[in-house]
Amino acid sequence: CIRPPSSTPCPRAGQLTGKDVRFYLLGAGLSKDQAVRVWEQLDENGNGKVSYGEFSNWASDRLADVA
């Protein structure tokens, strides 16, 4: 769940859905195809949600490429 800090707590705390992530990525300027590809990389187990562990694995791989 991606919400401003002052809003009500997210009912799925600790997880993001594909809708959450695509909404964010589209707002950040990615195309729909790019957002879908990022989602496919993030959702390692294919359950339609991204846990902190999945996000951490994805981010670690990407940051290693940058560093």
Side-chain angles (χ1 to χ4, degrees):
C1 184
I2 301 172
R3 295 187 185 189
S6 62
S7 68
T8 58
C10 179
R12 298 177 315 275
Q15 294 185 331
L16 296 171
T17 66
K19 182 178 177 180
D20 294 328
V21 172
R22 286 189 300 274
F23 177 80
Y24 176 81
L25 294 173
L26 292 171
L30 272 68
S31 71
K32 184 177 178 181
D33 288 340
Q34 289 170 319
V36 168
R37 284 196 307 270
V38 168
W39 173 253
E40 289 170 350
Q41 293 172 15
L42 280 167
D43 188 16
E44 294 173 353
N45 64 6
N47 71 347
K49 300 174 192 148
V50 172
S51 67
Y52 175 78
E54 287 173 312
F55 177 78
S56 179
N57 290 342
W58 179 84
S60 294
D61 289 346
R62 297 309 160 293
L63 292 175
D65 292 342
V66 175

